[in-house]
Amino acid sequence: MSDLSVVQQCRLAGVPRSTLYARRCSEPTGAEEDLHICQLLDESYTCYPYYGSRRMVAYLRQKGYEINRKRVQRLMRH
């Protein structure tokens, strides 16, 4: 074991201490997920242009996505 504290080790390595405790996430980031959901919305909108946000939420939930109406409304505006 080293006699140096975590603070001293990070200072010597030149890395912030927060990176030592940061957890790696293998799930897609919010932007990547938003892009994927936008693609699904575009595909379904071409088939069903009369679907509103409530119907799109139901459509996406059938596909297995846990999504709320406000997020669908925000993504449909773009």
Side-chain angles (χ1 to χ4, degrees):
M1 207 73 207
S2 175
D3 292 335
L4 293 174
S5 69
V6 173
V7 174
Q8 291 171 334
Q9 291 176 25
C10 289
R11 193 174 298 141
L12 286 173
V15 295
R17 197 175 65 215
S18 62
T19 59
L20 183 68
Y21 302 108
R23 294 182 183 209
R24 300 286 177 183
C25 184
S26 63
E27 295 181 14
T29 62
E32 292 171 351
E33 190 176 22
D34 281 352
L35 182 62
H36 181 70
I37 291 173
C38 279
Q39 290 172 346
L40 288 173
L41 287 172
D42 287 341
E43 290 172 10
S44 62
Y45 190 77
T46 54
C47 295
Y48 309 105
Y50 46 86
Y51 274 13
S53 61
R54 287 185 174 116
R55 195 73 165 261
M56 287 294 186
V57 168
Y59 172 79
L60 290 171
R61 285 184 180 169
Q62 283 179 338
K63 295 251 181 210
Y65 292 91
E66 288 188 33
I67 191 165
N68 63 14
R69 184 170 169 228
K70 287 187 177 185
R71 185 173 179 192
V72 170
Q73 287 174 331
R74 178 178 53 83
L75 293 173
M76 286 178 75
R77 276 189 294 237
H78 293 264

